[in-house]
Amino acid sequence: MIKNYVARGLVYGNYWGGGRGSYKSETIRAKTLKTLLKTAKIMLESGALDSGMGYESLVGAIFNVEKIETIEKNGKKYQRSEHNIEIIGDLKEQEWEFLIDNL
């Protein structure tokens, strides 16, 4: 069985000149959830997670993480997937609730 993880979501950050808001995040792919979250945290800290929006700084992010399991039987591939929500960064409750509502 082969497992892959794909994270799609929203970042939340500080706009240049004041204010905060969200924007689509980069899509992240990894072989393990641990690696995916580590990559996401590195990208959050570097500012690379914002998919080109250009925030002054990023505060956090929320992801819909899809776990995809693939098996091969009799030459055919079969997949199943599960979804869960992951939140990273330093978000206040009101901020992550906003992101969950808009994910």
Side-chain angles (χ1 to χ4, degrees):
M1 179 177 1
I2 300 169
K3 291 182 186 176
N4 288 295
Y5 293 82
V6 180
R8 295 174 183 89
L10 299 169
V11 295
Y12 193 78
N14 297 305
Y15 294 130
W16 290 98
R20 286 184 167 189
S22 69
Y23 191 74
K24 182 181 101 165
S25 73
E26 288 286 344
T27 299
I28 304 170
R29 300 174 194 282
K31 299 273 184 203
T32 68
L33 181 60
K34 182 178 179 180
T35 301
L36 184 137
L37 293 174
K38 181 178 178 181
T39 301
K41 289 174 186 175
I42 290 168
M43 291 176 74
L44 179 72
E45 290 173 12
S46 73
L49 190 58
D50 71 7
S51 185
M53 175 62 174
Y55 287 95
E56 181 177 1
S57 61
L58 296 177
V59 178
I62 186 169
F63 297 102
N64 178 352
V65 177
E66 182 180 15
K67 175 182 166 183
I68 304 165
E69 296 176 336
T70 305
I71 60 169
E72 189 170 336
K73 186 165 180 154
N74 300 328
K76 293 183 180 181
K77 290 185 179 181
Y78 298 92
Q79 289 186 337
R80 69 178 289 278
S81 65
E82 297 175 4
H83 294 264
N84 69 299
I85 302 296
E86 295 287 342
I87 299 172
I88 62 169
D90 191 24
L91 296 167
K92 297 175 183 148
E93 183 177 352
Q94 175 182 347
E95 294 165 340
W96 61 258
E97 285 177 352
F98 168 79
L99 292 175
I100 287 173
D101 289 345
N102 290 285
L103 183 59

